[in-house]
Amino acid sequence: MFEDAQQSDTALAAREEFRPLDPRVVKLWRTVGFITASLLMLALLVVAFITSAIHPELSPWVFLFWLLALILSLWLVYWRPPRLYRSWGYRIDDRVLETRSGLLFHVRRLLPLTRLQHVDLHRGPIERAYGLATLVLHTAGTQEARITIPGLDHVAATHLRDHLVEVGGDDAV
């Protein structure tokens, strides 16, 4: 009886382990964040110049605000991706796929494989440069009917997609 409980605990522990995303996703998120921050800071710089031309007395404050925004955005681009990477994980068994994510708000989503309708593999240009892909799983429903798993190795994502299609449900609408 004790052995059954121990085996059950071992099976539960194995089921509890989440697979991490590919570590290259940190570089991907930093690259995307840097591009986004650069465009935003460029737009803010244009606004700062226009504001300074209209109200020259505010020039030091406007550019101080811009400099602080630049420092904050660069810090977030550097700081956020590794923490986001550690918050992400997924696991799959013969009946369900579960994901976890979130820095401030922790989100755990369960997808019964019988409810899976179709699976997409997305690869944008920056993802392709890093050899990564995003797996998108669609279920029936109107809200939150899509689960994404970002930052997967392209080959692993393809295998996971094929496996999910193979074991997915047959109750498509």
Side-chain angles (χ1 to χ4, degrees):
M1 182 156 182
F2 179 71
E3 288 178 16
D4 290 339
Q6 202 172 27
Q7 287 174 350
S8 175
D9 289 344
T10 305
L12 183 62
R15 227 176 44 214
E16 288 295 320
E17 292 183 26
F18 282 87
R19 296 179 195 172
L21 303 179
D22 190 292
R24 293 175 290 177
V25 74
V26 173
K27 290 180 183 177
L28 170 74
W29 287 336
R30 280 184 174 156
T31 301
V32 170
F34 181 76
I35 292 168
T36 303
S38 297
L39 293 174
L40 178 65
M41 294 312 299
L42 183 61
L44 282 177
L45 188 60
V46 169
V47 170
F49 275 119
I50 292 171
T51 303
S52 294
I54 295 171
H55 301 287
E57 69 278 2
L58 296 178
S59 291
W61 296 108
V62 168
F63 287 105
L64 178 64
F65 170 77
W66 182 86
L67 184 62
L68 291 174
L70 176 67
I71 292 169
L72 177 65
S73 65
L74 290 176
W75 181 75
L76 283 174
V77 165
Y78 179 77
W79 176 84
R80 187 173 181 264
R83 281 142 190 89
L84 192 59
Y85 169 77
R86 287 192 297 269
S87 75
W88 256 101
Y90 69 97
R91 67 178 169 200
I92 184 170
D93 61 23
D94 57 339
R95 294 181 7 218
V96 72
L97 175 111
E98 181 177 4
T99 63
R100 70 166 188 215
S101 62
L103 290 175
L104 296 176
F105 298 95
H106 296 239
V107 178
R108 289 182 94 139
R109 300 180 83 190
L110 292 173
L111 170 61
L113 296 180
T114 58
R115 300 295 297 158
L116 183 63
Q117 288 193 332
H118 64 277
V119 184
D120 295 330
L121 195 64
H122 288 209
R123 297 186 75 207
I126 302 173
E127 282 178 308
R128 286 193 307 269
Y130 283 102
L132 299 173
T134 298
L135 201 63
V136 183
L137 306 126
H138 299 271
T139 63
T142 56
Q143 290 183 336
E144 303 294 329
R146 182 177 70 180
I147 295 177
T148 60
I149 304 175
L152 297 174
D153 176 73
H154 170 62
V155 174
T158 303
H159 290 315
L160 183 56
R161 178 200 60 195
D162 295 343
H163 172 72
L164 289 171
V165 167
E166 189 176 301
V167 300
D170 58 357
D171 64 339
V173 181

